[in-house]
């Protein structure tokens, strides 16, 4: 469970488009939601069920790559899913998403138009995805365990931090720092560049304490490592638990990501799925989720409800243009490139 930030907010009727207490279960009176682990305030699920009469079957996954084959194989009739931008592009290319009826999602008006424009980069008509959360990837380091402030990805290859470095354990996230440190785009499909990045990762491997995604937070809070590659929201949680920790987006640049609610083509309860997405876009609900999971919200209504305006100056949560200008969003690179990333990463791990 993730620790809440101690904000105070009320359910302000003026900020809510869908009134409390409305009940219209629709269709089968149920909804199957597939989401990242620890990526929602569970009270929100209870509120949705109470207000709509819809029973939610809620399950989680660890990575986009874990989620994709479940949806692609149609083994389960998931009605709502929350992929990242490059995975949404892949799902669209493979006809795995349904077009949304925005008449059923009036609260989409609370989403900052800038993020809807970003959606068009991977969903050209912005008809299949509604932004949920966004953030960056960077380095979290323990100020008492490193010799100087870290500003560069190069610290991940510094031998003085041997057995004190935690890296992510999926191909795109682990290749990004390597590609960037070599001066390449994190969306590279060039075989020579990918092999060079793989060689850099192989050289780093003896220094790495662990490759993981879901344990970075606990390892850094518990001071079991000096440096970890981590998502910005996780970093904010870590800093709230351990004052020795500092988060930085390296000077060479990094990944800025956007997760969105989508409806898979296997959906059996589309009306209920759109009610869920609309509920998630309500300012009071978006604020609850923001306060609970520490990731940045694109919901302007939610931001208006934040009473402690200093939160908006938190650079880990809301980085400025100077940071964002040197970041890239992941793109789906096609099956051939995806296979190349996967094979090279397996090769690194097996060495």
């Amino acid at each position: 469970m993730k620790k809440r930030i101690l904000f105070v907010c009320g359910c302000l009727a003026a900020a809510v488009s869908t009134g409390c207490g409305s009940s219209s279960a629709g269709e089968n009176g149920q909804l199957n939601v597939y989401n990242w682990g620890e990526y929602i305030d569970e009270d929100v699920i209870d509120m949705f069920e109470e207000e709509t009469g819809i029973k939610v079957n809620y399950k989680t996954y660890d990575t986009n790559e874990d989620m994709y084959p479940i949806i692609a194989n149609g083994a389960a009739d998931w009605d709502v899913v929350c992929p990242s931008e490059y995975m949404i592009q892949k799902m669209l290319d493979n006809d795995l998403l349904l077009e949304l009826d925005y008449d059923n999602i009036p609260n989409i008006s609370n989403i900052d138009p800038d993020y809807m424009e970003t959606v068009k980069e991977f969903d050209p008509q912005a008809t299949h995805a509604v932004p949920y959360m966004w953030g960056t990837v960077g380095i979290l380091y323990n100020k008492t365990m490193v010799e100087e402030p870290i500003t560069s990805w190069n610290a991940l290859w510094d031998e003085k931090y041997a057995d004190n470095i935690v890296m992510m354990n999926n191909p795109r996230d682990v290749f990004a720092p390597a590609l960037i440190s070599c001066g390449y785009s994190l969306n590279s499909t060039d075989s020579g560049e990918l092999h060079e990045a793989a060689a850099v990762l192989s050289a780093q491997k003896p220094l790495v304490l662990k490759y993981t995604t879901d344990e970075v937070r606990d390892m850094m809070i518990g001071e079991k490592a000096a440096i970890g590659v981590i998502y910005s929201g996780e970093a904010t949680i870590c800093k709230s638990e351990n004052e020795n920790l500092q988060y930085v987006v390296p000077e060479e640049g990094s990944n800025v990501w956007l997760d969105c609610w989508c409806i898979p083509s296997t959906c059996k309860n589309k009306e209920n799925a759109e009610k869920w997405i609309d509920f998630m876009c309500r300012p009071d609900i978006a604020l609850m989720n923001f306060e609970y999971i520490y990731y940045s919200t694109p919901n302007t209504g939610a931001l208006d409800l934040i009473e402690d305006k200093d939160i908006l100056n938190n650079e880990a949560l809301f980085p400025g243009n100077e940071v964002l200008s040197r970041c890239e969003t992941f793109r789906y690179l096609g099956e051939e490139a995806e296979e190349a990333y996967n094979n090279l990463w397996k090769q690194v791990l097996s060495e």
Side-chain angles (χ1 to χ4, degrees):
M1 301 286 287
K2 294 189 175 179
K3 182 178 178 182
R4 296 172 184 266
I5 305 176
L6 297 179
F7 296 147
V8 178
C9 79
C11 178
L12 302 180
V16 179
S17 298
T18 303
C20 296
S22 62
S23 177
S24 177
E27 297 170 291
N28 299 319
Q30 63 184 20
L31 181 69
N32 301 315
V33 180
Y34 201 29
N35 194 12
W36 296 80
E38 297 187 311
Y39 209 38
I40 196 171
D41 183 338
E42 293 183 4
D43 288 344
V44 164
I45 302 174
D46 295 336
M47 290 173 64
F48 177 80
E49 290 182 327
E50 182 177 351
E51 292 191 23
T52 65
I54 297 169
K55 176 63 178 177
V56 176
N57 172 35
Y58 187 90
K59 292 188 178 180
T60 65
Y61 52 88
D62 291 331
T63 69
N64 285 293
E65 287 71 23
D66 291 335
M67 173 275 298
Y68 180 82
I70 300 298
I71 300 298
N73 293 336
D77 296 329
W78 294 108
D79 300 311
V80 185
V81 69
C82 192
S84 302
E85 66 295 308
Y86 72 98
M87 191 56 68
I88 293 171
Q89 187 179 355
K90 179 178 180 179
M91 296 173 81
L92 281 171
D93 285 355
N94 288 279
D95 297 320
L96 293 177
L97 296 178
L98 296 180
E99 185 171 331
L100 302 173
D101 183 349
Y102 287 125
D103 288 340
N104 295 329
I105 312 174
N107 280 312
I108 197 172
S109 63
N110 294 304
I111 303 300
D112 188 322
D114 287 345
Y115 293 95
M116 294 306 299
E117 285 299 311
T118 300
V119 166
K120 292 180 181 179
E121 295 178 10
F122 50 88
D123 175 13
Q125 303 303 316
T127 50
H128 295 78
V130 174
Y132 177 52
M133 296 287 174
W134 68 276
T136 58
V137 175
I139 292 176
L140 185 69
Y141 65 93
N142 190 306
K143 292 178 287 187
T144 69
M145 299 172 69
V146 301
E147 295 183 1
E148 63 281 314
I150 289 175
T151 61
S152 169
W153 289 116
N154 291 336
L156 300 176
W157 283 266
D158 194 324
E159 293 186 357
K160 64 174 171 279
Y161 301 127
D163 293 325
N164 257 319
I165 298 171
V166 182
M167 295 288 289
M168 290 190 180
N169 189 21
N170 67 75
R172 294 301 298 274
D173 281 327
V174 80
F175 264 80
L179 284 165
I180 294 171
S181 67
C182 291
Y184 306 132
S185 167
L186 50 74
N187 289 306
S188 177
T189 59
D190 181 271
S191 178
E193 294 177 358
L194 294 181
H195 278 83
E196 183 178 344
V200 166
L201 289 171
S202 294
Q204 181 206 30
K205 188 177 178 184
L207 309 180
V208 175
L209 175 63
K210 191 166 188 176
Y211 296 103
T212 182
T213 298
D214 55 0
E215 296 179 56
V216 181
R217 183 182 68 188
D218 291 339
M219 292 181 71
M220 294 302 298
I221 291 173
E223 300 194 341
K224 296 179 180 178
I227 301 172
V229 178
I230 196 169
Y231 299 117
S232 53
E234 295 284 277
T236 305
I237 293 170
C238 291
K239 290 178 64 178
S240 73
E241 298 286 343
N242 188 330
E243 63 182 10
N244 294 327
L245 300 177
Q246 181 63 42
Y247 177 74
V248 62
V249 175
E251 59 194 7
E252 300 94 340
S254 188
N255 169 224
V256 57
W257 51 265
L258 179 66
D259 291 343
C260 301
W261 294 111
C262 300
I263 298 180
S265 57
T266 55
C267 172
K268 303 298 183 185
N269 303 290
K270 188 171 186 286
E271 178 184 338
N272 292 348
E274 289 170 341
K275 287 181 180 179
W276 171 272
I277 296 173
D278 188 58
F279 193 76
M280 294 301 115
C281 291
R282 254 174 49 178
D284 62 322
I285 299 302
L287 181 61
M288 286 180 66
N289 286 327
F290 168 65
E291 291 177 350
Y292 193 80
I293 64 177
Y294 279 83
Y295 283 105
S296 307
T297 177
N299 192 299
T300 57
L303 295 176
D304 288 341
L305 293 179
I306 294 176
E307 294 189 356
D308 183 359
K309 298 304 180 182
D310 287 341
I311 292 297
L312 302 178
N313 296 322
N314 183 320
E315 292 189 355
L317 290 174
F318 299 103
N321 289 334
E322 188 277 327
V323 172
L324 295 177
S325 65
R326 62 178 190 262
C327 292
E328 284 186 89
T329 301
F330 279 138
R331 296 286 178 262
Y332 174 53
L333 305 176
E335 291 185 7
E336 184 177 343
E338 186 177 72
E339 184 177 2
Y341 274 87
N342 291 338
N343 289 340
L344 285 169
W345 179 229
K346 289 176 183 178
Q347 178 181 316
V348 171
L349 289 177
S350 66
E351 291 174 345

